[in-house]
Amino acid sequence: GFIEEVEGKKILAIPDGVETIATSTFVGKGPEDKKIDKFIIPASVKELEEGALGNIFTEEIYISPDSKCAIIKGKGVYSIDEKTLLYYFGEYSWDEKITFVVPNGVTRIGEEAFWGGFNLILELPDSINEIWYEETNLLGKKLKADHTYTKFTIRAHKNSFAAKFAKKNSIKLEEI
């Protein structure tokens, strides 16, 4: 693939000239391909489809300031209008809870924004009115109760969409 080793770090750089990173681009890669230190998106990328970054595990994403495909805020990749969370690339932990706060104004959690996460407290604002949630995997098989969101805690206001979503889908809820 496009993974290079630079000073002991794995860097995946999308080649300049690529205009779209499609949904599920990285699905199906073996575990050795998943963990990278830095993911680079060049200015030529005009579209970052939802679910495009699923199956990428990295601590750093760089999007060229000249690219109009998405923006980064903290450990989140958001649509250019900042309404959709496209991907979370922060920490997950087996032992301790880690909190990720989605900024107010975000209205949607996009497809595969959280890929295989666990021990994450996902604090959602009242502006959220849609959360992508799929009960089947890419092979069309019904997933069991350990699907991504069921490993999370959703922190939200009592009567918000996010709180209702958590209750409806049997996801642990912390009301704020």
Side-chain angles (χ1 to χ4, degrees):
F2 305 112
I3 297 177
E4 292 182 38
E5 191 98 18
V6 178
E7 296 178 9
K9 294 192 174 208
K10 284 182 170 179
I11 297 174
L12 184 128
I14 299 298
D16 197 29
V18 170
E19 293 186 2
T20 300
I21 303 175
T23 300
S24 301
T25 295
F26 302 101
V27 172
K29 300 291 182 196
E32 67 281 355
D33 294 329
K34 291 180 184 177
K35 179 68 175 103
I36 57 173
D37 296 297
K38 187 174 186 178
F39 183 75
I40 300 171
I41 299 174
S44 63
V45 175
K46 293 174 180 41
E47 183 178 12
L48 182 64
E49 292 182 359
E50 284 190 32
L53 301 180
N55 227 26
I56 288 287
F57 297 98
T58 186
E59 295 174 11
E60 183 180 359
I61 295 178
Y62 172 80
I63 300 175
S64 169
D66 296 327
S67 175
K68 302 296 182 216
C69 69
I71 62 165
I72 295 174
K73 281 187 164 183
K75 291 293 185 175
V77 177
Y78 297 88
S79 58
I80 204 73
D81 66 1
E82 301 181 44
K83 297 291 185 191
T84 301
L85 173 65
L86 298 172
Y87 190 65
Y88 166 76
F89 63 98
E91 296 179 77
Y92 294 106
S93 171
W94 287 107
D95 303 316
E96 60 186 85
K97 293 282 188 182
I98 295 167
T99 300
F100 177 65
V101 179
V102 175
N104 195 30
V106 173
T107 59
R108 187 166 184 281
I109 304 297
E111 180 177 342
E112 297 175 0
F114 299 93
W115 185 266
F118 48 91
N119 274 351
L120 185 70
I121 298 170
L122 182 58
E123 189 168 314
L124 299 175
D126 291 345
S127 57
I128 291 287
N129 59 33
E130 185 179 348
I131 298 174
W132 181 84
Y133 185 69
E134 182 64 60
E135 292 183 357
T136 58
N137 66 15
L138 294 172
L139 302 175
K141 295 180 181 173
K142 187 84 170 160
L143 293 174
K144 297 181 180 165
D146 66 347
H147 185 64
T148 298
Y149 287 111
T150 60
K151 299 174 191 175
F152 289 177
T153 298
I154 289 181
R155 184 181 290 156
H157 287 110
K158 185 175 183 176
N159 292 315
S160 67
F161 174 87
K164 291 174 187 172
F165 172 86
K167 288 176 188 174
K168 177 183 174 191
N169 292 288
S170 302
I171 299 166
K172 187 176 178 186
L173 173 66
E174 282 182 18
E175 293 180 347
I176 51 175

